[in-house]
Amino acid sequence: MTPLLPPFPAPQDDPGGRMDLTLTPGGETPQLRADAARNRSRLLEVAARLAAERGAANVTMEAVACGAGVGKGTVFRRFGDRTGLLEALLDHHEKQLQAAFLTGPPPLGPDAPPVERLRAFGSAVIRREHTHSDLYLAAHAEAARRHTAPPYQLRLTHVCLLLRQARAEGDVELVAHTLLGYLDTILVDHLLTRRGMTLERVEAGWYDLVDRCTGGQSRCSTA
């Protein structure tokens, strides 16, 4: 994601609890020239292949440049640095998730009670990031960007909106950050790989946390 993207509106600026949520822009602006867009797509294709072959942690700017037959400077100009490259690779996965919770079918999408949507949201994040854990862990290596990246800002806004709709008590934005902290990629990977927990146990913990933060206004089966 380019750091030049404008930030999403601050959640506390939406006292009515409703906000026009849109998909986060991925990679570069839509105004890229056709040749520049093709070059960028080619670089991402090479990066995706290298990630599949070697693991995302071993993808370097030099390797991508070599695989694409371009100079290393071209890769740096297009993505800024290695973290920017890995974040661009995550765009596709993030946009699928965003489309699901913004416009997809319930309970993750609209037309379900807000607490049920919160529960489904956490489950979807846990399972998607577990499926692509190698890429997510590598892209989240630079902690300073984690809370300012557009995908996190959209997740924060979405969770704030659902908390307000559920009439959760307390400082909604701080509660939303707390909930998202439970879904942190590195934490979930630690629980699954180092602590030996199952996805079902981690999901059940998410459901319990949502119920505690919202007063348990809506419960559904965790089976």
Side-chain angles (χ1 to χ4, degrees):
M1 322 286 177
T2 171
L4 298 179
L5 291 172
F8 284 93
Q12 66 267 30
D13 293 337
D14 180 35
R18 300 187 60 82
M19 185 174 291
D20 180 20
L21 301 181
T22 57
L23 297 183
T24 59
E28 305 218 0
T29 60
Q31 290 77 26
L32 278 177
R33 299 191 315 274
D35 58 341
R38 284 193 297 269
N39 290 339
R40 181 176 184 277
S41 295
R42 171 60 179 158
L43 293 173
L44 287 175
E45 288 174 5
V46 172
R49 175 173 55 80
L50 291 174
E53 294 174 354
R54 307 178 183 180
N58 297 313
V59 173
T60 66
M61 305 292 268
E62 292 85 353
V64 172
C66 181
V70 301
K72 186 170 66 174
T74 298
V75 186
F76 276 98
R77 283 192 297 273
R78 189 62 62 204
F79 301 105
D81 57 18
R82 181 176 176 278
T83 300
L85 171 64
L86 293 176
E87 287 177 344
L89 280 177
L90 286 177
D91 275 352
H92 176 66
H93 303 305
E94 277 295 318
K95 285 181 178 179
Q96 286 183 325
L97 175 65
Q98 291 166 5
F101 70 70
L102 291 177
T103 61
L108 182 57
D111 300 323
V115 177
E116 289 187 16
R117 292 189 67 195
L118 272 172
R119 291 160 65 96
F121 173 77
S123 180
V125 171
I126 289 168
R127 290 186 172 270
R128 178 171 293 274
E129 295 198 359
H130 176 63
T131 300
H132 305 284
S133 60
D134 185 42
L135 184 55
Y136 273 93
L137 287 170
H140 285 73
E142 189 174 336
R145 294 187 180 187
R146 194 171 306 163
H147 298 104
T148 58
Y152 182 87
Q153 291 295 310
L154 180 57
R155 291 184 184 188
L156 177 65
T157 301
H158 178 64
V159 172
C160 283
L161 175 62
L162 295 179
L163 286 171
R164 289 193 179 96
Q165 290 176 343
R167 301 186 183 281
E169 298 181 355
D171 188 319
V172 167
E173 184 175 357
L174 290 179
V175 173
H177 279 294
T178 300
L179 286 168
L180 291 175
Y182 183 94
L183 303 177
D184 178 74
T185 304
I186 296 174
L187 172 61
V188 172
D189 182 73
H190 170 76
L191 296 177
L192 296 175
T193 62
R194 300 296 180 90
R195 298 292 297 165
M197 296 185 185
T198 64
L199 280 169
E200 290 74 18
R201 181 179 176 186
V202 175
E203 286 177 321
W206 167 259
Y207 301 149
D208 180 64
L209 182 59
V210 167
D211 286 345
R212 290 173 184 273
C213 290
T214 60
Q217 297 179 40
S218 173
R219 297 182 181 274
C220 57
S221 172
T222 60

